[in-house]
Amino acid sequence: MARAAPGMGRPPRLLTPQASAGHRFGAELRRWRLARRLTQRALAQRVWHSQEIVAKVEKGERWPSWDLATRCDSALSTGGQLAALWPAVERERLARDRRRKKRETSAEMLR
């Protein structure tokens, strides 16, 4: 089992960056955050988002906004690495939204 760094709370969840663009973004966000020796809470304060949002984006449980990507780039001094990943994440989000709406429409037609 992975151990948490001192003062870092629970052990980090294993990430699967190969699973999707969202997961890759989350893995990169965590990599940059840890390289800068910041907690999720400290990063969240610097980018004006909640610690919960940072945590969920890192785990691939929430889509990052353009605002979050660019603020994290600035706070972590990534040189735009996260913003460069964001278009692929947004394409994936839109594709999933279209599939979900298609399923909802089909389900309504069956009623």
Side-chain angles (χ1 to χ4, degrees):
M1 178 176 215
R3 298 191 72 177
M8 296 292 244
R10 285 185 257 163
R13 177 177 164 189
L14 290 177
L15 301 177
T16 53
Q18 68 283 358
S20 69
H23 283 238
R24 179 163 183 228
F25 184 97
E28 284 297 301
L29 176 58
R30 180 183 287 173
R31 184 178 72 79
W32 281 102
R33 178 180 60 78
L34 293 175
R36 299 298 185 254
R37 304 179 68 100
L38 292 174
T39 63
Q40 289 174 340
R41 177 166 290 153
L43 176 60
Q45 289 172 342
R46 290 178 185 204
V47 300
W48 294 84
H49 284 272
S50 71
Q51 182 269 331
E52 180 182 20
I53 287 176
V54 171
K56 286 185 175 191
V57 168
E58 282 189 4
K59 293 183 284 187
E61 294 175 356
R62 183 178 173 112
W63 301 108
S65 66
W66 172 252
D67 180 65
L68 179 66
T70 57
R71 286 176 184 257
C72 287
D73 272 337
S74 179
L76 299 170
S77 301
T78 69
Q81 294 295 306
L82 297 171
L85 295 173
W86 188 83
V89 174
E90 183 66 0
R91 280 191 302 274
E92 185 175 88
R93 182 189 69 79
L94 292 171
R96 289 190 182 184
D97 283 353
R98 281 191 293 273
R99 286 195 301 267
R100 187 183 79 227
K101 286 179 183 172
K102 195 175 199 180
R103 282 193 308 266
E104 289 171 358
T105 301
S106 296
E108 288 175 7
M109 292 174 73
L110 293 174
R111 289 185 192 156

